[in-house]
Amino acid sequence: MTDHAIRVSSHRGEPRVSPIYDPKVRSIFFQILTAVVVVLVTWSISHNVSVNLARANIASGYSFLAGRSGFDIGFAMISYSSDSTYGDALLVGLINTILIAVTGIITATIIGFIIGIGRLSKNWLIAKLCTVYVEVFRNIPPLLVIFFWYSGVLSSLPQVRDSLKLPFSMFLNNRGLAFPKPVWGDGASLISVAFLVGIIATLAIAMWAKQRQMRTGKQFHTIWVGIGLILGLPLLTFLALGAPLSFDYPIAGRFNLSGGSVIAPEFVALYLALSFYTAAFIAEIIRAGIRGVPKGQSEASFALGLQPSTTTRLVVIPQAMRIIIPPLTSQYLNLTKNSSLGVAIGFPELVSTGGTTMNQTGQAVEVISIWLVVYLTISIATSLFMNWFNAKMALVER
Amino acid sequence: MVDANASYVRREMLPAQPAPIATGNIAGWIRVNLLATPKDVVLTILALAVLAAVVPSALNWLFIQASWLGSDRSVCATVVQGGIQPDGWKGACWAFVKDRFVQFLFGRYPIDERWRPILVTIMFIVLLTPLLIPKMPRKGLNAVLLFIVFPIVAFFLLHGNAFGLDRVETPLWGGLMVTLILSFVGIAVSFPLGTLLALGRRSKMPVIKTLCVTFIEVIRGVPLITVLFMANVMLPLFLPTGWTIDNFLRALVAVALFASAYMAEVIRGGLQAIPKGQSEGADSLGLGYWQKMRLIILPQAIKLVIPGIVNTFIGLFKDTSLVSIIGMFDLLNIIRLNFTDTAWITPVTPITGLIFAGFIYWLFCFSMSRYSAFMERHLDTAHKR
């Protein structure tokens, strides 16, 4: 077939390929073609958008962020009222997204570790129970788990009048969990300073202990000293200041509880659902990671005379971590993205407050661009961390 | 120097050791698997305690106390709540699921036209089953029928407005039907599109590579809801004035594009695992780019990543539940819609409905994952010992 393409040049005696069959020419041609198509499509889309927006009398731009929002948010970590701006509303949403992500990640990791290790247990019953957990939660949509907690479990809680009384003056009803609000007295900020000092001191001791171990081989009980410092220092400060803490107790009224803090059921439902759902995936990752460490590794360490606990801590876990961390991070990212499902039960996270803003102002393009930027920033930050981590943890070979 | 007394060989027989504990019988199995160490004994007792606390009450709630027959809320409500059940009754309300079952399947699809989705389902099953059985011949023809002919026929059957069929607007579609249509189209589009994106991402042409990388990373970096909102709100803005685009189609586009990005990454993983020699070998045989990909690289790459592909399908199936947020009535949303129906509003209706929905989703996803495990074993031709 290619015979027709090659014309033997009489001058140089070597075959000259027609430019149509030259890979370089083809490559440039296809790229230019693609670029032209993309530019044309983008141009026509932006033209259509501007025409459509003009017809709908919507001004583009981000100036709407400074306007008064006029809607209330039930669950805000910073001070917010309906007089605040749209920008504040989006900020409240972002903070709630981060809050749900952080708390969910911590809980999901704990549950996931327990279930993952449970699936590897030699105890048949425990292994089977953990398998059932994983197979159930992996195969149903996260949205359904959220609804299950929200309209299945939490809304069947009693009304405010018949609140369940829990210990420590806590109340549980279908408006959430009310608990005593700690009110810190004078000098309470010193406690957090003491906490920070404890962490820094522990880090310093850990570095010193590692250097000493490298030099002399002597080990140091960093863990216990560290726990003592991190917990003990704030506790001592607290006692030295004369325990500057009082509680604002929730009091059951006729129709409502007054005082105290309330965790909204929306938060609890989203938090529990995302934790339980993601834990199933984390459990599988943990299991795969631990099983990915060859048996010879632990056998070799037994042969060196290491105790089983030391073997697990110093030989198996560090190598399993290399397998576990990358998919674990992507599960953390998934949990963060799934927190956007809060919009379905009215939890005011970024997509929810953004959606309300979009409905009120009609600034669809702007709000969606804010969403994209926020989520992409989180994703890119995570993948940068991952690249750094992979480079640090990669096997160093000759 | 042989000293007869300084022998290191034992002269007398040792007493016989007791036989090892039998593990073949039930008692032995229990000893090995449940009571091996003191820690295991504690764990087993704890697990049994949890099971004893949960299972009987769950079975009681799900089956024994549950009300199975009835046509309105009275069978699922206590006397105080206006029903017939005794005070303090708690149980699943399967009568609700039974009463609304057809609606859960078809949504508000007109009753007289329901033979159309049923016919489509039968066609789907008839075409899908032979494709799933490895021994059945003519896979190529079967695939063409299922992925090209069937969607066209199904569209005209479901939507109507042709061949003398009445038009059924997409807002009337609902229930499991919508979930399955979204998943099917998502799968049928995301597989080829994802393959193209994966090839584009590994292309040597910078323009095409940048385009593919940008698309994949942007889509994978944001939640599906934002993509759905984008399709729902921004697609109409993208089109010239006067053009409209069906809500259902918007969701389809969003779901398919979203799944394509994930599929692309899975397939790229497979492509990266194929040794360079395969590609060089194909080059030296004189194969062109597309021939090389179609005949040499992709068959090997895709075989490697079947678990990942099926995981993406499962994820896609679960993700279709999100279309309820943009106001479509898929399986989950049609069930939730019925919670507020005055004919069935009781305290146990929501949780019963959600358990039913969970069971349906679980059934589909679990069968997909089992089938993928089967295919993995079936296709594992290279490393068999």
Side-chain angles (χ1 to χ4, degrees), chain A residues 335-366:
Chain A
L335 192 148
T336 312
K337 287 189 282 178
N338 278 341
S339 72
S340 59
L341 297 179
V343 67
I345 55 170
F347 178 73
E349 42 65 63
L350 185 62
V351 172
S352 180
T353 52
T356 315
T357 306
M358 191 157 82
N359 284 340
Q360 291 194 359
T361 60
Q363 307 281 359
V365 181
E366 289 80 3

Side-chain angles (χ1 to χ4, degrees), chain A residues 31 45 48-49 51-52 55 122-124 135 138-141 143-144 147 277 337 340 364 368 372 375 379, chain B residues 33 40 44 205-207 220-221 223 225 233-234 237-241 262 318 321 332 336 354 358 362 365:
Chain A
Q31 293 190 57
I45 283 178
N48 287 337
V49 168
V51 168
N52 285 328
R55 265 169 52 94
K122 288 199 180 69
N123 189 318
W124 181 85
E135 290 295 353
R138 271 203 318 179
N139 288 319
I140 49 178
L143 190 60
L144 195 125
F147 284 139
Y277 177 76
K337 287 189 282 178
S340 59
I368 286 177
L372 292 189
Y375 283 108
S379 299
Chain B
N33 288 303
D40 277 323
T44 306
M205 305 183 210
V207 173
R220 271 164 35 98
I225 292 192
V233 181
M234 282 171 65
L237 287 180
F238 286 172
L239 295 174
T241 315
Y262 281 84
K318 293 192 291 183
S321 63
L332 185 55
R336 287 187 62 234
L354 289 175
W362 182 86
C365 296

Side-chain angles (χ1 to χ4, degrees), chain A residues 21-352:
Chain A
Y21 293 97
D22 186 342
K24 269 189 193 151
V25 177
R26 285 184 147 206
S27 153
I28 291 169
F29 170 74
F30 281 122
Q31 293 190 57
I32 291 173
L33 189 70
T34 318
V36 167
V37 169
V38 168
V39 167
L40 279 180
V41 168
T42 318
W43 178 81
S44 104
I45 283 178
S46 55
H47 173 76
N48 287 337
V49 168
S50 60
V51 168
N52 285 328
L53 286 180
R55 265 169 52 94
N57 277 329
I58 297 170
S60 54
Y62 291 86
S63 50
F64 72 98
L65 286 175
R68 180 178 175 277
S69 68
F71 63 91
D72 274 314
I73 294 179
F75 189 89
M77 304 298 285
I78 55 173
S79 67
Y80 175 88
S81 71
S82 54
D83 284 329
S84 305
T85 62
Y86 284 116
D88 290 334
L90 289 175
L91 188 63
V92 167
L94 176 60
I95 291 173
N96 282 342
T97 295
I98 293 171
L99 180 78
I100 208 86
V102 171
T103 51
I105 282 172
I106 294 170
T107 320
T109 311
I110 295 171
I111 304 176
F113 258 89
I114 294 172
I115 303 284
I117 291 168
R119 272 197 87 176
L120 291 170
S121 165
K122 288 199 180 69
N123 189 318
W124 181 85
L125 197 57
I126 298 286
K128 279 286 170 281
L129 281 180
C130 294
T131 309
V132 168
Y133 177 93
V134 169
E135 290 295 353
V136 166
F137 278 95
R138 271 203 318 179
N139 288 319
I140 49 178
L143 190 60
L144 195 125
V145 187
I146 293 171
F147 284 139
F148 180 82
W149 283 108
Y150 188 65
S151 37
V153 178
L154 292 175
S155 66
S156 59
L157 286 170
Q159 306 248 317
V160 177
R161 278 181 299 169
D162 318 315
S163 296
L164 294 174
K165 290 196 176 66
L166 301 176
F168 306 112
S169 296
M170 295 197 290
F171 292 96
L172 188 64
N173 55 44
N174 60 5
R175 288 201 207 152
L177 176 75
F179 61 95
K181 184 160 112 191
V183 181
W184 296 97
D186 294 335
S189 54
L190 276 178
I191 298 174
S192 46
V193 172
F195 182 66
L196 276 179
V197 169
I199 291 178
I200 293 169
T202 309
L203 288 178
I205 288 176
M207 278 169 69
W208 169 80
K210 196 176 178 190
Q211 277 179 3
R212 194 182 73 148
Q213 192 182 352
M214 285 298 178
R215 257 200 341 269
T216 63
K218 279 184 193 158
Q219 289 190 338
F220 186 76
H221 291 290
T222 318
I223 294 179
W224 299 112
V225 175
I227 291 174
L229 277 174
I230 293 174
L231 295 180
L233 272 183
L235 198 66
L236 279 177
T237 322
F238 178 69
L239 293 175
L241 287 168
L245 175 67
S246 58
F247 287 100
D248 174 17
Y249 292 99
I251 296 156
R254 196 172 153 71
F255 295 109
N256 219 335
L257 293 170
S258 56
S261 292
V262 178
I263 303 182
E266 289 82 18
F267 177 84
V268 180
L270 189 61
Y271 158 74
L272 287 177
L274 291 183
S275 305
F276 276 73
Y277 177 76
T278 314
F281 292 87
I282 292 180
E284 282 301 273
I285 292 168
I286 303 287
R287 185 174 77 109
I290 292 176
R291 287 186 52 173
V293 179
K295 212 180 163 197
Q297 293 289 326
S298 39
E299 284 171 350
S301 108
F302 289 146
L304 286 173
L306 267 69
Q307 295 287 320
S309 63
T310 325
T311 303
T312 313
R313 197 160 52 84
L314 297 179
V315 178
V316 177
I317 300 245
Q319 298 190 64
M321 277 320 216
R322 188 175 289 145
I323 310 174
I324 289 171
I325 298 272
L328 190 65
T329 329
S330 85
Q331 282 308 321
Y332 287 169
L333 207 54
N334 273 349
L335 192 148
T336 312
K337 287 189 282 178
N338 278 341
S339 72
S340 59
L341 297 179
V343 67
I345 55 170
F347 178 73
E349 42 65 63
L350 185 62
V351 172
S352 180

Side-chain angles (χ1 to χ4, degrees), chain B residues 17-302:
Chain B
Q17 286 192 344
I21 299 165
T23 52
N25 55 13
I26 294 175
W29 185 88
I30 289 177
R31 204 176 297 126
V32 171
N33 288 303
L34 297 179
L35 308 170
T37 62
K39 198 182 75 185
D40 277 323
V41 176
V42 174
L43 281 177
T44 306
I45 292 173
L46 273 179
L48 284 177
V50 169
L51 284 179
V54 173
V55 172
S57 59
L59 288 180
N60 195 25
W61 189 89
L62 280 174
F63 301 110
I64 299 166
Q65 289 290 318
S67 58
W68 296 85
L69 296 170
S71 53
D72 64 6
R73 65 183 295 273
S74 64
V75 293
C76 296
T78 60
V79 178
V80 182
Q81 293 157 351
I84 56 167
Q85 299 288 352
D87 218 20
W89 173 86
K90 273 199 165 71
C93 187
W94 298 121
F96 159 68
V97 173
K98 198 166 165 253
D99 189 48
R100 294 297 155 91
F101 188 71
V102 182
Q103 201 189 355
F104 293 168
L105 291 184
F106 302 117
R108 293 187 293 138
Y109 208 89
I111 294 171
D112 294 339
E113 308 289 340
R114 281 189 182 154
W115 60 271
R116 280 150 59 173
I118 291 173
L119 184 63
V120 168
T121 315
I122 294 171
M123 280 164 50
F124 178 64
I125 293 171
V126 165
L127 286 173
L128 183 70
T129 317
L131 199 65
L132 294 184
I133 302 171
K135 277 185 188 152
M136 295 295 268
R138 293 179 181 270
K139 286 275 184 272
L141 175 70
N142 200 334
V144 168
L145 282 176
L146 181 60
F147 292 109
I148 296 171
V149 179
F150 168 71
I152 298 169
V153 176
F155 171 77
F156 282 114
L157 260 177
L158 292 175
H159 188 255
N161 207 15
F163 309 115
L165 292 169
D166 283 341
R167 183 178 174 140
V168 181
E169 299 283 354
T170 53
L172 295 177
W173 300 14
L176 185 62
M177 186 179 110
V178 161
T179 300
L180 288 178
I181 294 175
L182 283 171
S183 315
F184 178 79
V185 176
I187 288 172
V189 172
S190 71
F191 187 63
L193 193 58
T195 312
L196 284 182
L197 282 169
L199 291 176
R201 191 169 181 166
R202 283 172 60 79
S203 158
K204 289 193 186 70
M205 305 183 210
V207 173
I208 291 178
K209 187 175 175 175
T210 319
L211 268 180
C212 292
V213 171
T214 316
F215 177 82
I216 292 172
E217 292 305 329
V218 167
I219 297 280
R220 271 164 35 98
V222 300
L224 175 56
I225 292 192
T226 57
V227 181
L228 279 170
F229 268 119
M230 208 157 37
N232 205 25
V233 181
M234 282 171 65
L235 264 188
L237 287 180
F238 286 172
L239 295 174
T241 315
W243 290 33
T244 52
I245 173 166
D246 190 84
N247 265 346
F248 192 80
L249 192 60
R250 295 179 203 174
L252 265 183
V253 170
V255 167
L257 290 184
F258 189 77
S260 304
Y262 281 84
M263 189 64 78
E265 283 302 274
V266 171
I267 292 175
R268 185 171 71 108
L271 289 176
Q272 278 178 345
I274 304 299
K276 213 179 167 201
Q278 296 291 326
S279 174
E280 288 166 351
D283 284 340
S284 68
L285 285 174
L287 297 181
Y289 178 82
W290 292 108
Q291 281 177 316
K292 176 170 81 179
M293 288 301 159
R294 190 167 57 84
L295 299 172
I296 310 287
I297 307 291
L298 282 176
Q300 300 185 66
I302 286 169

